[in-house]
Amino acid sequence: MLLVALGIALGNWQERRAAEKTALRERMEQRGAQAPVALGPAIVPLETLEYRRVTVTGQFVPGWPVFLDNRPYQGRSGFYLLMPFKIAGSDVHVLVARGWLPADPTVHDRLPVFSTPPGQVSIEGVVSGNMGRVLQLGDAVPLKPNAIVQNVAPGQVEQASGLKLEPFFVEQTGPKEEGGALVRDWPLPSTGIEKHKGYAFQWYALAAMALLFFVITGFRSGTKHDDAARA
């Protein structure tokens, strides 16, 4: 009976997690459907703009590219290119994920070739709290221009570069640049709703099996006891 209670409790917990993730996905869809917000010179909390479409005018800081490693795309290994973007009329920057670039299949650490629009430009994108996390083996390499890293946060780039940064990323969606080397087919954040529902089903099934086992063994024990009493 303890196993039955445990299975039901864990199944209910997984159902609650699925409900939370469903609410998150609905929030993402609702925010994504809203009109774009123009980023200004003020520092804005992540919670205010997460999943929102934004526009921002300014210029890229070409001296501080950072490459996120182990970001495959359609079966090819590659990097996400991150660059600070100075917001016009201020000293505030935002870390822009400009797109995906393929890695050299023969020399993985060879940096891919890309171009950066000069001067003031206007870009579009979606605010994200993180660029996904991958397994990190060993110590992270020092964060510096052209560093190839597994994971990074805006605060780390701010500390290493000395640039004042917004506490989020902008996954750039436009405009399309000449040459087309950068791929901007950004994956949607995984909410794992189906996974939680699957786990809930497994725990409920375990509870049902334990209850069935309890009933069957209890019935057999009672039958044997009655037979022994009649004998």
Side-chain angles (χ1 to χ4, degrees):
M1 292 306 295
L2 287 175
L3 188 57
V4 172
L6 178 64
I8 293 174
L10 290 174
N12 290 342
W13 176 66
Q14 290 292 346
E15 286 285 3
R16 289 194 297 272
R17 293 287 293 153
E20 292 171 0
K21 296 294 183 68
T22 299
L24 174 60
R25 184 165 66 182
E26 291 173 353
R27 180 167 171 259
M28 291 166 55
E29 293 173 350
Q30 291 170 357
R31 288 198 157 199
Q34 294 174 346
V37 174
L39 282 184
I43 299 292
V44 183
L46 168 64
E47 294 77 14
T48 302
L49 291 177
E50 192 170 20
Y51 312 124
R52 288 291 301 272
R53 292 182 294 143
V54 294
T55 61
V56 56
T57 299
Q59 59 186 42
F60 286 103
V61 180
W64 253 98
V66 175
F67 298 85
L68 283 184
D69 200 2
N70 291 322
R71 265 54 180 193
Y73 178 73
Q74 295 185 349
R76 300 177 64 189
S77 62
F79 310 95
Y80 286 163
L81 170 62
L82 306 179
M83 289 182 68
F85 186 87
K86 188 175 185 293
I87 300 174
S90 75
D91 62 346
V92 176
H93 303 69
V94 62
L95 199 55
V96 175
R98 294 188 56 199
W100 177 89
L101 290 166
D104 189 314
T106 58
V107 183
H108 183 77
D109 291 343
R110 180 178 293 164
L111 297 179
V113 177
F114 63 94
S115 60
T116 300
Q120 184 166 293
V121 294
S122 294
I123 65 171
E124 305 161 0
V126 177
V127 171
S128 175
N130 66 79
M131 297 302 300
R133 293 195 62 83
V134 299
L135 179 64
Q136 170 107 20
L137 298 177
D139 297 330
V141 300
L143 196 55
K144 59 183 180 179
N146 292 313
I148 297 176
V149 298
Q150 306 296 322
N151 305 288
V152 74
Q156 294 172 301
V157 178
E158 181 177 62
Q159 184 176 11
S161 66
L163 301 172
K164 184 186 294 185
L165 282 170
E166 296 277 9
F168 49 75
F169 301 90
V170 170
E171 295 178 348
Q172 187 177 355
T173 56
K176 186 176 181 180
E177 299 166 11
E178 293 187 12
L182 290 158
V183 178
R184 293 176 180 144
D185 185 13
W186 300 110
L188 293 174
S190 176
T191 54
I193 297 171
E194 291 75 17
K195 179 185 70 175
H196 289 297
K197 287 186 175 293
Y199 287 157
F201 175 79
Q202 292 175 7
W203 284 116
Y204 288 144
L206 178 63
M209 289 168 49
L211 179 61
L212 185 62
F213 176 80
F214 175 79
V215 171
I216 292 175
T217 54
F219 175 77
R220 289 179 176 174
S221 176
T223 301
K224 291 180 179 179
H225 180 75
D226 291 342
D227 290 344
R230 285 195 295 267

